[in-house]
Amino acid sequence: EPEVTQTPSHQVTQMGQEVILRCVPISNHLYFYWYRQILGQKVEFLVSFYNNEISEKSEIFDDQFSVERPDGSNFTLKIRSTKLEDSAMYFCASSSAETYGYTFGSGTRLTVV
Amino acid sequence: AQKVTQAQTEISVVEKEDVTLDCVYETRDTTYYLFWYKQPPSGELVFLIRRNSFDEQNEISGRYSWNFQKSTSSFNFTITASQVVDSAVYFCALSIMNYGGATNKLIFGTGTLLAVQP
C-alpha cells in the first residue's frame, strides 16, 4: 500500500536554528498538508498546499514557517528560527480528490533545546 | 466554524470488555467526512475509518463498529471484546468537502486515551 514518507523521524535542534522537515507524499496525490501535535495534545492543522501554492494556513503558520515542493516528489516544511515551543511531532499528509484517501506519514519528532 | 468534541479524556477497561468512544461534531456544511484515527504509543496516526455525510449506515470491521447519527451529530466508535493491543489514543476528525479541492483540512478532537488492562 502506498505510504507517505517523512524524514528524519527525530530531529534535535538548538533554539534559533533553521530546520527543514521532509516528506514524500503518495505519488498520485495532489493535496499536501502539514499538521503539528504538541506532546499530549491534539493534532492541529498547519497548512495545506495544492497546485504549487498554499491553499489554506492556520494561525500557527506564521512567518517563521514556509512550505515548498522543490521537485516532483518532495514536500518540505521549514521553520526559520526555532523556538522551544516548536517542539512537537510534525505530520505530513497527502490526499486525493478522486478517492478522498487521506494518508499521514509516521511523523517527525522535533525537539528544540 | 467546525468543531469536534471527544468528551472522554481517558477510559480504562479490562480486557474483553466492550468500550464505546464518543465523538460529537459541529458543522453547518451538509457535505463532510468523518474519520477515526488510532495513535499507538509509537506515535503514528493509523487510519481506521472514513464516512461521508450522506452515508448513515453503521459499519462493522471485525471487532470495530461505528455508529453515525446525523440527528445528534455523533460518530461513535465501539470496540468489542477489547484487547491490550487496543490501548492507544483515538482521535475523531472532521473534514469539509470542498469541491474546489483546495482545502480539505482535518479538524481533530482532543482524543481519548484508551487503556486496556490485562
Side-chain angles (χ1 to χ4, degrees), chain A residues 22-23 27 29 39 42-43 45 47 50 52 55 62 64 70 82 88 90 93 95 102:
Chain A
R22 302 181 192 279
C23 170
S27 60
H29 283 185
L39 186 64
K42 69 176 178 181
V43 180
F45 168 76
V47 64
Y50 170 71
N52 285 319
S55 48
D62 61 22
Q64 293 295 322
T82 50
Y90 289 82
S95 73
Y102 209 110

Side-chain angles (χ1 to χ4, degrees), chain A residues 72-92:
Chain A
S73 59
N74 289 285
F75 179 51
T76 62
L77 173 69
K78 182 193 291 186
I79 309 175
R80 275 183 251 288
S81 176
T82 50
K83 306 170 196 167
L84 294 176
E85 53 265 38
D86 292 328
S87 295
M89 180 78 96
Y90 289 82
F91 291 102
C92 174

Side-chain angles (χ1 to χ4, degrees), chain B residues 53-115:
Chain B
S53 52
F54 299 118
D55 183 3
E56 283 193 75
Q57 265 197 321
N58 292 331
E59 182 155 339
I60 298 174
S61 176
R63 296 185 296 108
Y64 296 168
S65 61
W66 290 269
N67 182 288
F68 176 28
Q69 293 200 353
K70 284 177 78 169
S71 60
T72 56
S73 297
S74 64
F75 186 46
N76 296 337
F77 172 34
T78 298
I79 302 174
T80 302
S82 58
Q83 300 175 0
V84 173
V85 293
D86 295 328
S87 297
V89 179
Y90 290 85
F91 289 99
C92 181
L94 166 71
S95 179
I96 307 307
M97 288 178 67
N98 182 329
Y99 288 103
T103 310
N104 302 333
K105 66 183 179 187
L106 292 189
I107 300 149
F108 283 82
T110 49
T112 297
L113 173 60
L114 175 64

